[in-house]
Amino acid sequence: MRSVVIHSAHDLRVEPLRPVPLVPGQVRVRFAAGGICGSDLHYFAHGGTGNIRVTAPLTLGHEVAGIVADDAGGDLAGQRVAVCPSVPCGVCRPCRDGRDNICEQPFFMGSASRVPHMQGGFRGWLDVWPGQCHVLPDSVSLEAGALVEPVAVSVHAVGLIRDLLGKRLAVIGAGPIGLLITAVARARGADHVTVRDLSATALERAYAVGADAVVPVTPGAPAEPGDFDAVVEASGSPHGLNDALTLVRRGGQVVQVGNLPGGVVPTAAVLIMNKELAVSGSFRFTVREYGAALDLIAAGTVDPLAVVTGRFVLADAVDAFAQALDRTRHAKVLLLPDGDDPAMRTN
């Protein structure tokens, strides 16, 4: 079995998975599917994401589903599960306030935000706590189960918008998160959703997830003032944030979910004041929202597989990451198990 490990920028290796005994109380999950996230691509391209840098080998991956192989006497053995990557501490003030997505001491799979780094799920098997395992209904494939996490990110971002029902929304960025935010916003009652992006190919995908209109953006060209009730910035670019502040109506709301570069970025912040805007950051998701995302998928309300554009086995992970960087070709790229086990390779 193999593990996908980042050592530094552009130094991604597929390495043998070292056998270790199962920790008492944990369950062992055989990897069945994983989604390459934008943060994984940042680790690959830049050796870090935002202000976080890789300082030791890190197994990537936090969008994962699999089959429980060993539950040490519990009742999860043999179950198909989506693995929630987040384990909040439960005792800090944000956790006590029900905001465990901003836990002060979280465990989050595949993250270098703590030392030692928190190892991720792109490996032949992963050991997790039972509470991280969300059993998949028969209607949800293993591939869709791997994408509960980005749907949960979208559920959290959309949930921050005040009175979404019947409102006009703009989404900046037609990457996987922008597309899934579009799908969740329509499911939650948005009246009209416009998606903006630099890539014509990415904008074509937006219609498939419920966009009413798309706007191709010219690099460097500022947006014209708009009257959207809310704007979600999902591109992770300072230019996108400025466009969001321009496009939203007076008294409207901007939600920043895109992962901006670390440090200080130039922003037309005067618009926050003179338009009296509500500006919200959106970080990950709560454990409760992870369950809500699975419910949306199980009900057929949101189809995360609509954003999948490529599939690779773990052994070809380096090629998968390199190709996933090309947004003209790919939105969401999935990793699948090596070998010929049909139980692990089917939907």
Side-chain angles (χ1 to χ4, degrees):
M1 291 188 176
R2 297 177 173 91
S3 180
V4 179
V5 182
I6 189 74
H7 290 257
S8 61
H10 294 288
D11 186 6
L12 185 71
R13 308 177 196 176
V14 180
E15 301 177 349
L17 184 59
R18 179 173 55 89
V20 296
L22 181 65
V23 172
Q26 289 196 324
V27 298
R28 180 157 291 176
V29 178
R30 292 180 64 192
F31 175 84
I36 298 177
C37 176
S39 63
D40 295 320
L41 292 174
H42 277 288
Y43 281 122
F44 174 62
H46 309 295
T49 178
N51 291 322
I52 299 167
R53 314 311 298 172
V54 171
T55 60
L58 172 67
T59 300
L60 293 175
H62 56 266
E63 302 176 4
V64 180
I67 297 175
V68 177
D70 187 350
D71 189 15
D75 57 3
L76 285 172
Q79 294 279 12
R80 301 159 58 254
V81 297
V83 178
C84 180
S86 178
V87 183
C89 76
V91 297
C92 69
R93 180 168 180 174
C95 283
R96 296 197 309 271
D97 290 343
R99 303 179 69 186
D100 55 78
N101 61 305
I102 52 172
C103 171
E104 294 173 358
Q105 291 293 325
F107 174 88
F108 197 88
M109 289 168 46
S111 172
S113 61
R114 283 165 54 178
V115 178
H117 295 338
M118 295 164 282
Q119 301 301 313
F122 290 163
R123 44 184 164 164
W125 50 260
L126 54 152
D127 295 343
V128 298
W129 298 105
Q132 293 177 257
C133 296
H134 293 246
V135 176
L136 297 177
D138 291 342
S139 61
V140 179
S141 70
L142 286 163
E143 290 186 5
L147 301 182
V148 174
E149 195 273 351
V151 176
V153 170
S154 305
V155 166
H156 182 71
V158 170
L160 293 171
I161 301 172
R162 305 169 304 191
D163 306 319
L164 178 64
L165 188 66
K167 297 296 180 64
R168 299 179 68 252
L169 174 69
V171 178
I172 296 176
I177 293 298
L179 295 174
L180 291 173
I181 285 172
T182 299
V184 172
R186 294 312 304 263
R188 294 288 173 86
D191 180 64
H192 187 281
V193 181
T194 295
V195 180
R196 299 169 57 91
D197 200 281
L198 297 169
S199 167
T201 304
L203 289 175
E204 290 174 8
R205 302 181 189 117
Y207 283 121
V209 295
D212 297 286
V214 301
V215 176
V217 177
T218 301
E224 295 293 328
D227 62 350
F228 290 97
D229 298 298
V231 180
V232 178
E233 200 299 300
S235 73
S237 72
H239 186 84
L241 176 56
N242 282 330
D243 280 357
L245 298 174
T246 301
L247 289 165
V248 69
R249 65 170 173 80
R250 290 180 174 271
Q253 183 179 8
V254 171
V255 176
Q256 176 65 42
V257 67
N259 193 351
L260 289 166
V264 177
V265 296
T267 304
V270 67
L271 295 176
I272 300 173
M273 178 275 294
N274 64 29
K275 293 171 74 172
E276 199 164 295
L277 302 177
V279 179
S280 304
S282 180
F283 185 67
R284 293 178 179 164
F285 51 88
T286 66
V287 172
R288 176 187 57 79
E289 288 165 331
Y290 190 91
L294 178 54
D295 290 342
L296 284 174
I297 296 170
T301 307
V302 173
D303 177 14
L305 296 182
V307 305
V308 173
T309 54
R311 294 169 173 83
F312 296 79
V313 295
L314 284 176
D316 297 330
V318 176
D319 186 33
F321 272 70
Q323 292 203 34
L325 287 173
D326 184 354
R327 294 190 64 248
T328 65
R329 295 180 58 189
H330 287 294
K332 177 63 68 177
V333 171
L334 292 180
L335 293 178
L336 301 173
D338 299 318
D340 300 318
D341 183 350
M344 303 299 293
R345 300 287 299 281
T346 62
N347 291 331

